[in-house]
Each structure stands twice: as structure tokens, then as C-alpha cells.
């Protein structure tokens, strides 16, 4: 979405602050020269600044993901005193995913508009909007509409991922973007199991009567994230939103193909992360009669899915993103089939194995589908140059569309979290179990691997090389 405009090469060897305006007392001067592709600049001055910004970004994004995922654990506290049935609880975990998906695109654009440092401070402080009232209002007697509003507001944490990724993308040279973005994404995704561990700790110590303690734990962390951003992050010069890139990307068929695939990978990860605790307690109520009995298992899936995400990118580098994505969706369909079989047979070990496999493969798929996007436009650029197009113009167009596609696919993919929770809700409403939801997931994964093969792997003259 955001790119760095070319900056002229100075006659003297610069430092990042060589041409900076005077800084306010106690603050570093603003960066006015940034050339990460210059090896000498990167070695002497760029790399330390980029690493500092990456570490702070990971922390701020991690807190954002945790706030986004608050209701995945909060619903486990909502016992009979709250008067909410399972269908109502699935809605409470669906609305944060919905707002988070909607906010991803404007949050991406905000980095170039306001500056990465400035927007990280604002986006961190916005996390207080849901966290403070949750810490005050969560108790028996609170109305369901109030809970819906509070749940929806936690969606602001879902936008933080997009702005964080857009910001870190600006700091690193192309050869190092993959690793930096993988660390940033993985650190953020770990916010899902982290908040569930916080919930488990509260359940195990204070008990289910104190759900407000979970958001209360995050209040100082939110403030710390904003202060860390103010102290250690930088705004970069030259970042801009390419005019017309979004409109052009919307007309690009690959945008919607990749969005469909990302719904299956990231949408599954965030959707299952939100719903797993509820589903486990409903499917095996005799084994998990209390929230704490279920909570000690719910963090495992998001944890392994987050930790394994970089492996998807590494496999895509070695074997090709489309090939990894294809077999990954085959494995996800098999995993969903195992979950369906285990649910019908009432086999908890098989059920847990199937669900953990879904988290593992959704994490791998997150990495492999993300890697496919720039590969698609590298192949398109090479083909255009072979046909006589201007290389500079073709490369610039490829970068514009690749950035815009990542923003759109990220927003659409996050909506998969809504679909997962709605599927569970409808399945339990109509049949009292989740079988119909599992069949829907199998169908989506089957559609995804068929589309992956048809568009990116099927032999023929129109196949894109290197995807």
C-alpha cells in the first residue's frame, strides 16, 4: 500500500539525521534521509534504526492482537448469571473480527498519511476505548447490547496488524523484508494465545466471577506500547499512498483469488482462535464442565499457529508459494475431516489432534499465501518486459499492485474470522452440534486447493513462472 518515493543521493555520506530539522528537547531529530537499498547506508546507520523500530512494532502489534482477541477468553467467563446462550456468545466473538477486517485497509493507508510513529501512538491509545469500559462494566446484569458494543470495539486491535506491517515494510531493503515482516506478523499473532493465557491465569486464581481483570491487565501494557512508540519509533520521509492503486487492484483478478485463499488461511487462524474455547466446551461438556477446564487447552492452537507461520514463508521460498499453498489446503481439508469424525465419535484426543493440525496448517498457509503475492507481480512484470514494456514502469506498476493487493487481501482475509464464528453459531442453532460448520470448512478448503491448482499450478502457456 505504501511505498518510499525515490530520494536523491547526497554528495556527502549522510547519517539519518544529517539534514534533520531541530528536534524538541528529549527527542531524536526527525529522519529526512532514508535509503535502505544503499548497502553502506544500511550497514552504518539504517540497520540499527530499523531493528529498533521492528522491536517496538512487534510489542505494540502484540498488544493490539491481544485486545482484538479479548472476547475469545471473555466468553468463557459468561456463565448462567449473564443469561447468554451459545449462539449469543458466537456473535460476541464474530463482531470483533468484523470490525478488525473493516479497519485493516484505512489503517494501512494511515501510515503514509500520518507517519508510522504517529499512527502507532494513536492506534495503541485507541485500544483503551474497548479495554477501559470492559474493565468497568463486565459483571452480571450488564445488558447483551452493551456486551455487543464492547466486543465490537475490540476490533480496533485488528487494524493494528495492517498499519504495523505497512510501517515495517518501509524500513527494510527488499532482500530483508520477508524475515522482518515474518517476525512482525508472528510476534503480533502471539497476542492471541497470550491473552488466553492471561484469561487462564485469572480463571485459576480469581475465578470466573472476575472477567474484568483480563482487560485490566492490558491497561498498563497499552499505555506502555504508546509510550514506547513515542520514545523509540520514527517517521520516515517519502512514504506515500500511491494514487489509484486501490482502484486498479480491485480490477485485478488475482486480488480476489488471493483474497479467497487468505480467507482460508488467516481467516481460519483468527476465527478458530476466537471460537476454539467455546466449541471445546460445547462439544465435550462432560469433559470441560467449567471455563477453567477448557481454558488450559485453548491457547495451544493459536500458539502453534503463530510460531509456525515463518515456516510457511520458508517453504514457499524453497518449493514455491502456490505448491505449498495447494498441499496446505489439502491438509486443512483432511484436518477438518478428522475434527468432524472425532466430534461424531466423541474422541477428545482425535478432536484435539485435528484442531491443532488446523492451527498448524493455517499458520503455514498464512506464510505461503503472503509470499505468493509479490511473486505473482514479479512474474507479471517479467512477462510484460519480455513483451517490450518499459522495465522501470513495469516494476513500478508491479510494486503498486502488490502493495494494494496485500492491503485488500488482508482486510478480506480477516473477514474469515467472522465466517468461522457465524458458521459455528448457525450449526449449533440448527442441529445442536458443529458438524455442519466442519462440512462448510471442508468445502471451503477444497474450493481453495482447486482454485490454487487451476490458477497457479495448472500447466499451460498462461501459468505464472515462479509463483
Amino acid at each position: 500500500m505504501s511505498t518510499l518515493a525515490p530520494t536523491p543521493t547526497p554528495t556527502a555520506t549522510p547519517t539519518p539525521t544529517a539534514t534533520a530539522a531541530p528536534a524538541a528537547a528529549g527527542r531524536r531529530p526527525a529522519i529526512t534521509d532514508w535509503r535502505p537499498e544503499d548497502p553502506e547506508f544500511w550497514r552504518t546507520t539504517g540497520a540499527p534504526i530499523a531493528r529498533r523500530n521492528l522491536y517496538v512494532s512487534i510489542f505494540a502489534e502484540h498488544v493490539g492482537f491481544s485486545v482484538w482477541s479479548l472476547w475469545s477468553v471473555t466468553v468463557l467467563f459468561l456463565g448462567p448469571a449473564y443469561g447468554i446462550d451459545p449462539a449469543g456468545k458466537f456473535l460476541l466473538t464474530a463482531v470483533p473480527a468484523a470490525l478488525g477486517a473493516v479497519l485493516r485497509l484505512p489503517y494501512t493507508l494511515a501510515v503514509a498519511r500520518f507517519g508510522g510513529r504517529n499512527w502507532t501512538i494513536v492506534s495503541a491509545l485507541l485500544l483503551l476505548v474497548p479495554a477501559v469500559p470492559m474493565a468497568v462494566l463486565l459483571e452480571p446484569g450488564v445488558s447483551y447490547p452493551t456486551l455487543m458494543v464492547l466486543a465490537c470495539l475490540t476490533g480496533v486491535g485488528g487494524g493494528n496488524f495492517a498499519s504495523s506491517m505497512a510501517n515495517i515494510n518501509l524500513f527494510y531493503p527488499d532482500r530483508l523484508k520477508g524475515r522482518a515482516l515474518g517476525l512482525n506478523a508472528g510476534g503480533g499473532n502471539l497476542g492471541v494465545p497470550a491473552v488466553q493465557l492471561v484469561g487462564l491465569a485469572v480463571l485459576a486464581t480469581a475465578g470466573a466471577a472476575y472477567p474484568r481483570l483480563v482487560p485490566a491487565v492490558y491497561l498498563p501494557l497499552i499505555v506502555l506500547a504508546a509510550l514506547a512508540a513515542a520514545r523509540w519509533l520514527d517517521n520516515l520521509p517519502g512514504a506515500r499512498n500511491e494514487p489509484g492503486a486501490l482502484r486498479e487492484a480491485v480490477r485485478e483478478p488475482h486480488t480476489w483469488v488471493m483474497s479467497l485463499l487468505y480467507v482460508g488461511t488467516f481467516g481460519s487462524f483468527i476465527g478458530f482462535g476466537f471460537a476454539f474455547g467455546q466449541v471445546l466446551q460445547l462439544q465435550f461438556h462432560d469433559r470441560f464442565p467449567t471455563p477453567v477446564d477448557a481454558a488450559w487447552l485453548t491457547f495451544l492452537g493459536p500458539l502453534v499457529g503463530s510460531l509456525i507461520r515463518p515456516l510457511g514463508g520458508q517453504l514457499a521460498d524453497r518449493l514455491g508459494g502456490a505448491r505449498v499453498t495447494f498441499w496446505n489446503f489439502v491438509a486443512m481439508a483432511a484436518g477438518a475431516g478428522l475434527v468432524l469424525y472425532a466430534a461424531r465419535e466423541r474422541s477428545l484426543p482425535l478432536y484435539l489432534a485435528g484442531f491443532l493440525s488446523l492451527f498448524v496448517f493455517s499458520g503455514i498457509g498464512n506464510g505461503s499465501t503472503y509470499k505468493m503475492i509479490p511473486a505473482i507481480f514479479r512474474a507479471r512484470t517479467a512477462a510484460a518486459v519480455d513483451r517490450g514494456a518499459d522495465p522501470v514502469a513495469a516494476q513500478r506498476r508491479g510494486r503498486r499492485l502488490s502493495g494494494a493487493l496485500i492491503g485488500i487481501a488482508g482486510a478480506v482475509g480477516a473477514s474469515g474470522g467472522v465466517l468461522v464464528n457465524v458458521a459455528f453459531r448457525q450449526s449449533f442453532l440448527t442441529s445442536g452440534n458443529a458438524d455442519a460448520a466442519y462440512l462448510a470448512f471442508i468445502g471451503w478448503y477444497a474450493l481453495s486447493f482447486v482454485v490454487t491448482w487451476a490458477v497457479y499450478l495448472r500447466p499451460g502457456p498462461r501459468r505464472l513462472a515462479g509463483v
Side-chain angles (χ1 to χ4, degrees):
M1 289 298 301
S2 302
T3 60
L4 279 176
T7 50
T9 303
T11 55
T13 301
T15 65
T17 60
T19 57
R27 280 205 39 209
R28 294 182 313 281
I31 295 174
T32 58
D33 174 53
W34 189 254
R35 292 171 290 110
E37 300 296 344
D38 181 335
E40 181 63 19
F41 177 89
W42 178 255
R43 184 183 65 82
T44 57
T45 57
I49 294 173
R51 282 196 298 270
R52 184 184 70 240
N53 279 266
L54 174 62
Y55 298 153
V56 176
S57 177
I58 288 173
F59 173 65
E61 186 196 338
H62 177 92
V63 174
F65 249 93
S66 293
V67 171
W68 192 22
S69 308
L70 272 171
W71 285 86
S72 69
V73 67
T74 301
V75 292
L76 298 179
F77 288 82
L78 304 182
Y82 289 84
I84 305 172
D85 63 9
K89 291 181 181 180
F90 280 118
L91 277 184
L92 289 173
T93 52
V95 289
L99 183 61
V102 170
L103 290 179
R104 281 192 160 201
L105 207 52
Y107 268 54
T108 301
L109 300 173
V111 169
R113 177 66 180 84
F114 301 107
R117 171 185 176 273
N118 299 344
W119 185 250
T120 303
I121 296 169
V122 171
S123 62
L125 291 175
L126 284 173
L127 300 175
L128 294 172
V129 174
V132 170
M134 283 181 67
V136 173
L137 298 175
L138 281 180
E139 61 182 12
V142 63
S143 69
Y144 186 73
T146 300
L147 293 178
M148 284 288 286
V149 171
L150 294 176
C152 184
L153 289 175
T154 59
V156 297
N160 288 21
F161 174 85
S163 57
S164 179
M165 295 290 277
N167 186 41
I168 292 305
N169 182 63
L170 297 172
F171 278 91
Y172 280 83
D174 285 343
R175 70 183 187 280
L176 299 177
K177 285 183 190 293
R179 180 175 181 273
L181 293 174
L183 289 171
N184 197 52
N189 288 356
L190 283 170
V192 182
V195 74
Q196 293 171 349
L197 283 172
V198 170
L200 174 60
V202 171
L203 283 168
T205 54
Y210 298 96
R212 63 179 62 185
L213 293 180
V214 181
V217 167
Y218 280 91
L219 295 179
L221 296 178
I222 292 168
V223 174
L224 182 59
L227 292 175
R231 177 65 181 86
W232 288 299
L233 290 189
D234 299 285
N235 294 320
L236 286 184
R240 67 176 185 270
N241 294 313
E242 291 277 7
L246 281 177
R247 289 192 298 273
E248 195 172 355
V250 166
R251 296 192 294 267
E252 169 61 56
H254 290 287
T255 297
W256 303 110
V257 173
M258 293 308 302
S259 294
L260 181 147
L261 302 184
Y262 205 55
V263 166
T265 55
F266 180 77
S268 293
F269 170 81
I270 198 66
F272 293 148
F274 284 7
F276 184 38
Q278 292 184 78
V279 175
L280 192 62
Q281 202 174 7
L282 289 169
Q283 293 268 207
F284 296 93
H285 183 69
D286 55 327
R287 306 287 290 272
F288 303 101
T290 66
V292 71
D293 294 318
W296 71 274
L297 281 174
T298 57
F299 75 94
L300 289 176
L303 178 64
V304 296
S306 301
L307 292 176
I308 207 165
R309 176 172 179 151
L311 178 62
Q314 294 168 8
L315 289 173
D317 286 338
R318 292 179 55 190
L319 305 173
R323 182 175 296 138
V324 173
T325 298
F326 172 83
W327 287 110
N328 191 76
F329 277 122
V330 172
M332 290 184 76
L338 177 59
V339 171
L340 174 62
Y341 172 80
R344 289 177 171 175
E345 296 297 317
R346 306 290 299 165
S347 171
L348 180 60
L350 283 180
Y351 189 83
L352 291 175
F355 240 116
L356 285 175
S357 73
L358 286 175
F359 278 109
V360 167
F361 291 116
S362 67
I364 292 174
N366 282 341
S368 65
T369 52
Y370 223 73
K371 283 282 189 176
M372 286 174 66
I373 294 173
I376 288 168
F377 289 102
R378 281 197 300 270
R380 296 279 296 274
T381 297
V385 171
D386 289 342
R387 293 193 299 267
D390 175 65
V392 175
Q395 289 173 4
R396 185 172 184 273
R397 182 176 184 272
R399 285 194 298 269
R400 291 172 72 242
L401 289 179
S402 179
L405 195 159
I406 286 173
I408 295 171
V412 176
S415 69
V418 184
L419 299 177
V420 167
N421 283 272
V422 170
F424 278 128
R425 177 182 184 272
Q426 193 60 37
S427 185
F428 278 106
L429 273 177
T430 55
S431 61
N433 58 52
D435 290 3
Y438 302 139
L439 289 171
F441 302 150
I442 294 170
W444 189 275
Y445 302 145
L447 173 65
S448 296
F449 69 66
V450 168
V451 168
T452 303
W453 179 84
V455 178
Y456 299 113
L457 293 175
R458 182 174 56 178
R462 300 181 66 182
R463 180 178 175 180
L464 297 176
V467 176

